[in-house]
Structure formats: C-alpha cells, structure tokens
C-alpha cells in the first residue's frame, strides 16, 4: 500500500507560485497527489473500455495503440452532443478563480494541477483539431516559437 502523507505534512504544502513560468517548472509527482485507476473488474462490470491494472507512477500506462484517435473521437462526439461542452471550451478566460476551490490544487500546491491548466490540456486539443485558427496554426513551422506569457 502506498504511503500517504500525514495530516501535518499536508498542512505544510507550499502554495507560493514558482519563480519560473509554469511551462518551465518541472513537475514532481508524489504519492498522495493523484487518483488511482479503477480495478479492471469494476471497469468490466460497467462496460468501460480497456480494463487493466495500472498506476499513474508506472512507466507504461498500457494505453491502446490508437489512444490519441480514441481521445479525439471522444471529444468530437461530445462537442456534437453537448452544447455546454463546446461553450466551456470557448468561454474560459483562464482567470484562475477556480483554483482555490479545487482539492487537487490545494492538496498538491502544484500550479499545473490548477483546474484551468488541467482543462487547458483538453482545450489545446480542441483548438488544434476543432477550430479554424488551430488548424491553420498547426501548419506553422515548428521552429517559430510564440512569445512567452510569463
Ligand atoms: S479559469 Fe476557472 S474560474 Fe476562470 S473562467 Fe476558467 S473555469 Fe472559470
């Protein structure tokens, strides 16, 4: 069983923003700061795909070969089905006001664990695959770098 942090250790989480920009701050993944995958037996009962034993700390997450296609197809289906999903993809202004309500961020102090940045992972796929600007920018030569936001 993984060693979980003690309550007194949790109260010492440093929420001071790092001195480096969030893209340049390395992530330190530790026990107690992530959720675990459900047991394969439980996934099979509810009919979820790819039931397997895995842990976030594993080097190999045992994802199917075409996991990127599955992800993009899943986003496309949800964009078609749920107007609220498309709306959220477009309206978040990245203000960060939701950060202090998120137990993952509060529990880790990791800026990359702020809800806005986790959502940004999905949103970056949305922009690249499902918006005109993203499709045009994807053709931009990779050696051209955009100005830093930090
Ligand atoms: S960062 Fe959070 S609070 Fe701010 S607009 Fe986006 S979802 Fe809403």
């Amino acid at each position: 069983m993984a060693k979980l942090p003690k309550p007194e250790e949790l109260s010492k989480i440093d929420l001071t923003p790092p001195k480096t920009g969030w893209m340049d701050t390395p992530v330190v993944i530790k026990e107690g700061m992530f959720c675990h995958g459900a047991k394969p037996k439980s996934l099979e009962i509810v009919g979820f795909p790819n039931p397997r034993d895995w842990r976030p700390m594993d080097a190999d997450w045992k994802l199917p070969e075409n996991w990127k296609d599955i992800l993009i197809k899943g986003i496309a289906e949800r964009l078609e089905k749920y107007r609220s999903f498309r709306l959220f993809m477009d309206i978040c202004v990245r203000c960060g006001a939701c950060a202090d309500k998120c137990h993952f961020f509060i529990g880790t102090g990791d800026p990359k664990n702020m809800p806005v940045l986790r959502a940004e992972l999905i949103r970056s796929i949305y922009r690249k695959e499902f918006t005109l600007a993203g499709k045009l920018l994807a053709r931009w030569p990779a050696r051209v770098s955009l100005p830093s936001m930090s």
Side-chain angles (χ1 to χ4, degrees), residues 34-89:
F34 50 79
C35 294
H36 293 272
K39 294 278 176 221
K41 198 171 131 193
S42 308
L43 292 176
E44 280 164 17
I45 289 170
V46 292
F48 271 32
N50 196 25
R52 68 210 191 274
D53 261 321
W54 73 286
R55 300 189 69 246
M57 299 290 269
D58 293 346
D60 179 8
W61 285 6
K62 302 173 191 163
L63 294 170
E65 286 269 312
N66 61 339
W67 67 268
K68 287 183 188 172
D69 297 333
I70 294 171
L71 190 69
I72 290 169
K73 188 169 171 249
I75 292 174
E77 285 171 7
R78 283 154 185 83
L79 285 170
E80 183 71 31
K81 197 169 174 185
Y82 304 110
R83 189 166 168 258
S84 54
F85 182 51
R86 182 177 289 276
L87 194 66
F88 180 73
M89 290 291 110

Side-chain angles (χ1 to χ4, degrees), residues 127-147:
R127 279 194 303 266
K128 180 170 180 251
E129 303 289 336
F130 300 98
T131 68
L132 179 63
K135 283 179 182 162
L136 292 174
L137 282 172
R139 292 188 194 157
W140 206 273
R143 62 182 177 277
V144 175
S145 58
L146 298 172

